[in-house]
C-alpha cells in the first residue's frame, strides 16, 4: 500500500511540475491553482509513504522518477531539447535509484 502512495506522490508531483510550466510564471489562474493542489497532494502522499518506506529510498524514487517523467513530458509535449548528456544523466539517476533500492533491502 505504501508503494501505491509513493506512486501517487510521483504522479501528483509530475502533474504539479507540468502545471507550473503551463501557468506561465503564475500568470494563468487555473494552472496556478492546480499546481498548488497537485503539490499538496504529492507531499501528502509522500508523507503517507514515509510511514513504511525509508526516507532515503522514498525520496530517491520520488525525485528520480519525477525527473525522468517530467523530462519525457518536456521533450514530447513542450518540445524541449533532449541531448545525449541529458539522456546519460537521466540513466545515471535511474541507476542510482535502482541501486538505492537494492542496498535498502539488504
Amino acid at each position: 500500500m505504501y508503494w501505491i502512495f509513493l506512486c501517487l506522490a510521483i504522479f501528483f508531483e509530475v502533474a504539479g511540475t507540468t502545471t507550473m510550466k503551463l501557468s506561465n510564471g503564475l500568470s494563468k489562474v487555473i494552472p496556478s491553482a492546480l499546481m498548488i493542489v497537485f503539490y499538496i497532494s504529492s507531499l501528502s502522499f509522500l508523507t503517507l509513504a514515509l510511514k513504511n518506506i525509508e526516507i532515503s529510498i522514498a525520496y530517491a524514487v520520488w525525485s528520480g522518477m519525477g525527473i525522468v517523467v517530467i523530462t519525457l513530458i518536456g521533450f514530447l509535449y513542450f518540445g524541449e531539447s533532449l541531448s545525449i548528456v541529458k539522456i546519460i544523466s537521466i540513466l545515471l539517476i535511474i541507476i542510482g535509484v535502482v541501486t538505492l533500492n537494492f542496498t535498502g533491502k539488504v
Side-chain angles (χ1 to χ4, degrees):
M1 186 67 181
Y2 296 99
W3 285 98
I4 292 171
F5 290 150
L6 185 57
C7 289
L8 288 169
I10 293 165
F11 171 80
F12 284 113
E13 189 270 333
V14 168
T17 303
T18 303
T19 54
M20 182 187 302
K21 175 78 171 175
L22 293 172
S23 76
N24 196 28
L26 301 176
S27 65
K28 296 181 180 177
V29 175
I30 293 176
S32 298
L34 285 173
M35 178 191 70
I36 293 167
V37 170
F38 290 148
Y39 275 120
I40 289 171
S41 299
S42 176
L43 293 174
S44 297
F45 281 113
L46 181 59
T47 300
L48 292 172
L50 290 176
K51 289 175 78 173
N52 196 8
I53 302 172
E54 292 180 20
I55 193 168
S56 60
I57 303 299
Y59 193 76
V61 172
W62 180 74
S63 60
M65 292 310 298
I67 290 168
V68 169
V69 175
I70 207 64
T71 300
L72 290 173
I73 290 171
F75 175 71
L76 296 172
Y77 184 77
F78 294 112
E80 296 177 353
S81 67
L82 193 58
S83 67
I84 191 70
V85 173
K86 282 185 184 180
I87 294 169
I88 291 170
S89 298
I90 290 169
L91 287 174
L92 289 171
I93 291 168
I94 293 169
I95 291 168
V97 168
V98 170
T99 304
L100 269 175
N101 275 306
F102 283 129
T103 59
K105 295 175 184 171
V106 173

